[in-house]
Amino acid sequence: MHEFRYLRNNLFCERVKVEDLAKRWGTPLYVYSYKTLLDHYWKLKNAFREINPLICYSVKANSNLSILKILVEQGAGLDIVSGGELFRAIKVKCPPKRIVYASVGKTEREIETAIRQGILFFNVESVSELENINRIAERLGKKTNVSLRINPDVEPQTHRFITTGKLTNKFGLDFQTAEEILKKREKYLWLKIKGLHIHIGSQIIESSPFVSAIRKLVSFHRQMKEEGIDLEYLNIGGGLGIIYYKEKPQTAKEFALCVIPILKETQAKVILEPGRFIAGPSGILVVKVLYIKSTPSKNFIIVDGAMNDLIRPALYGAYHEILPVTKFQNQKSKIKNQKYDIVGPICESGDFFAKDREISPLREGDYLAIMGAGAYGFSMSSNYNSRCRVAEVLVKDDKAYLIRRRETYRDLVRNEVVIDKF
Ligand code: PLP
């Protein structure tokens, strides 16, 4: 599943001891496994081999340039949602014809840059946006490809904050509006409507919500074809769940087996936009135990990482497995077989990585690994409490590479302006 394993009580990432990385680069520290990243990309690519889709890795999951470059070099495209992500995609030389661009709020400037770059298409989320892209394309004199993001109104059975395919969510167009757009497509002189797109949510562990959404999409595609509107692409989004706790998510193969027969009812080219599935299992966040503290009602392990470094537990109540970087330290351990809240130093009670977690004996100064932190970890991090964003290291085999330097206090204030006198 992933390349983080114990060897004689020491946690290794591929062939490198995690403790050595923590000592060399300090903590908190994100550590990624090259092999795990690639394995997950290829798991999907191989599972879908029969229909040879374009896999556009979703940049938001983990946008480090080295991660993007590795995937682009394997043939992946990129799914972007902002001008900043487009900048990253260009920086790693992703061919523009492998870039798709979603977002309910694309700005004038972002649209213009993406048109100039000649991306594969925009996934359009509203009529106003469609009209805006048409206007900008006309001004630039560049005919532009778009795809319509459909909101299929299905329940993905995941956390409500990462549900995106219900009509109560802000995303996409309902079928009727999409149909009206397609029937009046001649009106958008500067646009070519090339396909349909859905993305129903994230961390979806069963195939059934995907199946119902894709069925709806394919049936709409067929209906449009019968009306003489042939759409070249079907983009089925991302959303595949991974194991954080005891989930048993569908495997790439199981997912492919369920959806390929439906997709094959059309002749359309298929696009996938996985983020979490590829990046999630490939990363851990390594933190150091600062203090062990007990109150009359609770025990706390206070670590040097915090919610600004990994916000998923605070934001979604998300579970991450937490493992000692070195097992069975010694008998001098301050804690034994008790439950602890594992918390950070930030001034919020929401700043925790785990609640009431039973943890094997450890001491102040020991390291812990927060597992499954490769997606929506660093990319959602912030400078809250004026904490420097952490370093990222990529391990390939027996070598480790720094792929992002730790921020300094100078970085924290770099863009601030101190007014002498008001
Ligand atoms: N595509 C779109 C449009 C998204 O909004 C997202 C995530 O929010 C993704 C793909 C990636 O989702 P996941 O990381 O769950 O695969």
Side-chain angles (χ1 to χ4, degrees):
M1 301 291 263
H2 59 66
E3 292 290 322
F4 296 94
R5 290 196 199 94
Y6 284 103
L7 193 68
R8 287 188 285 280
N9 293 330
N10 289 299
L11 186 67
F12 276 73
C13 175
E14 302 198 11
R15 286 166 54 201
V16 177
K17 220 165 143 182
V18 172
E19 189 183 12
D20 292 346
L21 298 174
K23 285 190 171 147
R24 178 163 173 204
W25 278 295
T27 53
L29 180 73
Y30 274 99
V31 176
Y32 306 111
S33 150
Y34 177 93
K35 185 166 187 304
T36 311
L37 187 76
L38 246 57
D39 276 356
H40 283 79
Y41 170 74
W42 282 105
K43 263 184 198 171
L44 261 186
K45 190 80 185 156
N46 290 333
F48 277 86
R49 176 146 293 178
E50 188 184 344
I51 56 170
N52 191 27
L54 174 62
I55 298 196
C56 290
Y57 165 71
S58 195
V59 173
K60 64 177 82 62
N62 186 323
S63 49
N64 185 288
L65 292 176
S66 293
I67 303 273
L68 302 183
K69 182 167 180 282
I70 290 166
L71 293 169
V72 166
E73 283 175 357
Q74 297 294 309
L78 297 175
D79 154 51
I80 60 165
V81 287
S82 69
E85 289 191 351
L86 177 59
F87 177 77
R88 288 178 179 276
I90 294 163
K91 237 180 149 41
V92 297
K93 300 193 169 54
C94 181
K97 287 294 170 237
R98 298 204 316 236
I99 300 176
V100 292
Y101 188 167
S103 160
V104 291
K106 306 173 187 82
T107 65
E108 187 99 3
R109 187 164 158 219
E110 288 174 324
I111 294 169
E112 181 172 330
T113 317
I115 293 178
R116 286 191 194 282
Q117 287 296 332
I119 62 167
L120 181 57
F121 47 69
F122 291 95
N123 291 316
V124 173
E125 312 225 15
S126 66
V127 175
S128 300
E129 183 196 329
L130 194 71
E131 287 167 353
N132 202 25
I133 298 176
N134 187 51
R135 235 184 343 260
I136 298 169
E138 179 177 12
R139 174 162 57 74
L140 299 178
K142 257 190 124 172
K143 196 131 183 176
T144 295
N145 293 335
V146 298
S147 174
L148 302 182
R149 177 167 180 178
I150 306 286
N151 185 323
D153 199 25
V154 294
E155 175 55 65
Q157 292 147 27
T158 186
H159 193 283
R160 65 194 165 91
F161 287 3
I162 45 177
T163 292
T164 55
K166 295 277 297 164
L167 282 179
T168 43
N169 305 130
K170 65 182 172 182
F171 303 97
L173 301 150
D174 59 276
F175 281 109
Q176 198 185 331
T177 309
E179 183 174 346
E180 283 160 18
I181 291 170
L182 285 165
K183 287 188 173 156
K184 290 187 206 147
R185 64 195 182 290
E186 309 301 341
K187 158 176 156 189
Y188 304 103
L189 286 177
W190 290 88
L191 303 183
K192 180 129 190 39
I193 306 181
K194 300 276 274 187
L196 302 172
H197 169 232
I198 50 169
H199 171 73
I200 59 172
S202 199
Q203 185 53 16
I204 301 168
I205 57 174
E206 287 186 9
S207 301
S208 54
F210 292 112
V211 167
S212 38
I214 295 170
R215 279 222 173 93
K216 285 185 174 188
L217 190 74
V218 163
S219 132
F220 182 68
H221 185 273
R222 186 183 316 116
Q223 186 197 331
M224 290 301 102
K225 194 166 184 179
E226 282 161 12
E227 311 214 15
I229 304 166
D230 202 5
L231 296 156
E232 194 182 336
Y233 288 93
L234 284 181
N235 178 342
I236 61 169
L240 285 172
I242 61 171
I243 303 170
Y244 286 107
Y245 185 39
K246 289 181 178 162
E247 304 95 333
K248 290 205 168 61
Q250 76 261 283
T251 62
K253 261 195 196 147
E254 287 161 353
F255 175 58
L257 275 176
C258 287
V259 304
I260 288 177
I262 314 171
L263 291 165
K264 273 174 63 180
E265 290 171 24
T266 72
Q267 303 295 312
K269 294 178 189 153
V270 173
I271 296 178
L272 273 75
E273 299 173 338
R276 189 187 307 273
F277 181 85
I278 292 177
S282 74
I284 61 173
L285 174 62
V286 185
V287 296
K288 185 152 103 179
V289 177
L290 297 177
Y291 305 108
I292 297 171
K293 159 177 172 173
S294 292
T295 71
S297 51
K298 272 263 178 195
N299 301 308
F300 295 97
I301 293 171
I302 302 163
V303 297
D304 60 358
M307 65 190 280
N308 73 300
D309 304 312
L310 175 67
I311 202 173
R312 297 190 68 257
L315 191 62
Y316 313 127
Y319 183 99
H320 283 266
E321 190 179 7
I322 300 182
L323 300 175
V325 164
T326 309
K327 275 200 216 167
F328 315 120
Q329 279 273 330
N330 63 29
Q331 297 75 11
K332 284 194 201 138
S333 166
K334 267 200 184 178
I335 68 168
K336 276 192 186 83
N337 294 336
Q338 286 189 48
K339 288 186 173 169
Y340 286 79
D341 281 10
I342 301 173
V343 301
I346 281 185
C347 312
E348 306 260 351
S349 295
D351 179 27
F352 64 90
F353 292 122
K355 293 267 186 199
D356 293 321
R357 188 74 61 89
E358 206 162 304
I359 188 112
S360 57
L362 48 77
R363 296 167 306 176
E364 291 168 359
D366 284 353
Y367 297 111
L368 293 172
I370 304 177
M371 307 302 289
Y376 306 103
F378 187 93
S379 64
M380 289 180 95
S381 68
S382 76
N383 291 120
Y384 186 45
N385 272 210
S386 286
R387 290 169 52 83
C388 297
R389 282 188 300 166
V390 309
E392 295 176 287
V393 166
L394 179 79
V395 173
K396 181 171 186 254
D397 211 0
D398 61 353
K399 298 215 163 40
Y401 305 86
L402 184 68
I403 58 168
R404 183 182 174 108
R405 282 187 287 275
R406 187 177 301 280
E407 283 180 350
T408 62
Y409 292 146
R410 210 175 277 270
D411 293 325
L412 283 183
V413 295
R414 173 160 296 143
N415 295 321
E416 291 178 36
V417 179
V418 180
I419 308 294
D420 277 346
K421 202 169 177 200
F422 291 99

